[in-house]
Amino acid sequence: MEELVIEIPKVPITSLESDFLEKHKIELSILREDLNHPLIQGNKFRKLKYNLIEANRLNQKTLLSFGGAYSNHIHAVAAAGKAFGFETIGVIRGEELADKERNVTLKDAEKMGMKFHFVTRTDYRRKTEQSFINELKQKFGDFYLVPEGGTNEFAIKGCEEILNEETQPFNYITCAMGTAGTFTGILKSTEENQKLLGFPALKDYEYLLKTIQKYTNKSNYEIINAFHFGGFGKFNEDLISFVNNFKSEYGVMLEPLYTGKMMFGLFGLIKQGYFEPNAKILAVHTGGLQGIKGFNERFKNKFNIEF
């Protein structure tokens, strides 16, 4: 099979200016990974890049992965399959969803060619068991397995490419954390004088350390676990207001589950005096903006993000 070559374009760094940042003597910029692809977008493209190359090398024509009904990862896998010529299968948590009208995320994925397999929550918890994977192969034939969230050695290799020569002058790098794959890749590429701050979107984050320590022995990082808003998918009106106000003031859209929490937490640290005067901070925007449509669909009677 012909070698698959994937080039991810260089993204801009956006400098932010405001009275708040000037008051606290902070230089804050955003690495716009949300602009690296219109659909695959952000860290998902980075995590899938070398998985797609490996699938092609193995002559696999089908990608299979796992996710919830509004999963950014599922959406990205479908988009990557369409862009690079793979069939895609999404194993979706929630058997009851099979007979319901598709939500906006699944509609998009289906339009991009993804086929769905809805499973019970009990079976979904078996997603890493070889017996369950064998059952899926009996049903669908052979496939290339991309783990839930996309994190594996190929994903981390891709995320090592997020930082570049233009990110070297920054003292601090900040990143949202889901499965720690993106965080670990970035950590491996940090300079000795840089500190990486991770903001988990989940309440329980201890398992993230196992991923980090599996792939690197670097220690120039800190996990800030005070801004998860109660756990994955949790939020409140303060967070939604912050996301909307951030777009109004800085012209950059965030989403509430990852980048919104990260930026909310970062501004909280600035208020607390965590950073020394004239600190240069680079916040990595990991994308996931398609999730805003799903968020507004789910909570249209109570919350709204200005998309």
Side-chain angles (χ1 to χ4, degrees), residues 51 61 63 69 89 94 150 163 174 225 235 254 258 270-271 274 278:
N51 275 289
K61 303 183 185 304
L63 309 174
I89 299 168
L163 300 186
T174 73
N225 197 38
F235 61 93
L254 308 173
Y258 294 99
I270 293 172
K271 288 178 185 177
Y274 177 96
N278 302 313

Side-chain angles (χ1 to χ4, degrees), residues 3-211:
E3 181 182 3
L4 178 61
V5 177
I6 299 176
E7 296 290 342
I8 299 181
K10 197 170 187 179
V11 298
I13 294 176
T14 301
S15 297
L16 304 186
E17 295 182 1
S18 68
D19 291 341
F20 171 81
L21 295 172
E22 185 176 348
K23 173 185 174 182
H24 291 278
K25 295 184 172 62
I26 294 295
E27 295 183 41
L28 176 59
S29 299
I30 301 181
L31 183 61
R32 301 297 303 275
E33 284 290 294
D34 57 308
L35 302 178
N36 65 17
H37 192 279
L39 289 175
I40 311 173
Q41 194 191 79
N43 66 327
K44 300 303 182 187
F45 196 8
R46 299 287 185 181
K47 293 168 86 171
L48 286 169
K49 174 181 174 178
Y50 288 105
N51 275 289
L52 296 171
I53 290 171
E54 178 67 3
N56 183 75
R57 187 187 71 81
L58 295 173
N59 201 28
Q60 295 284 359
K61 303 183 185 304
T62 301
L63 309 174
L64 180 143
S65 197
F66 305 87
Y70 288 94
S71 167
N72 285 331
H73 171 68
I74 286 293
H75 190 276
V77 170
K82 180 178 181 181
F84 296 102
F86 293 92
E87 299 293 322
T88 55
I89 299 168
V91 180
I92 309 299
R93 182 180 62 248
E95 188 179 39
E96 74 281 358
L97 299 173
D99 297 324
K100 291 185 177 181
E101 182 181 356
R102 302 286 189 256
N103 65 48
V104 63
T105 298
L106 297 183
K107 279 181 182 177
D108 281 353
E110 200 165 43
K111 287 177 183 176
M112 291 184 286
M114 178 172 273
K115 297 177 181 177
F116 300 125
H117 179 51
F118 296 91
V119 299
T120 65
R121 282 157 175 77
T122 299
D123 275 345
Y124 192 84
R125 286 193 287 271
R126 299 173 56 212
K127 60 185 175 291
T128 59
E129 297 177 11
Q130 190 59 49
S131 59
F132 184 56
I133 294 170
N134 290 340
E135 291 172 17
L136 293 173
K137 289 189 174 182
Q138 288 176 3
K139 182 176 181 63
F140 296 109
D142 204 11
F143 52 76
Y144 181 86
L145 177 65
V146 181
E148 181 185 38
T151 291
N152 58 14
E153 62 181 309
F154 297 109
I156 289 169
K157 180 180 179 181
C159 290
E160 287 181 50
E161 299 175 353
I162 290 175
L163 300 186
N164 54 54
E165 66 279 359
E166 293 184 6
T167 65
Q168 292 177 0
F170 292 91
N171 312 115
Y172 297 90
I173 313 290
T174 73
C175 176
M177 298 181 75
T179 59
T182 303
F183 181 89
T184 303
I186 292 173
L187 179 61
K188 293 183 72 174
S189 297
T190 53
E191 302 292 326
E192 289 184 3
N193 63 324
Q194 292 178 322
K195 184 173 184 179
L196 178 62
L197 303 180
F199 294 82
L202 309 88
K203 185 175 182 179
D204 301 316
Y205 74 97
E206 294 296 328
Y207 79 95
L208 302 179
L209 295 173
K210 295 180 181 178
T211 298

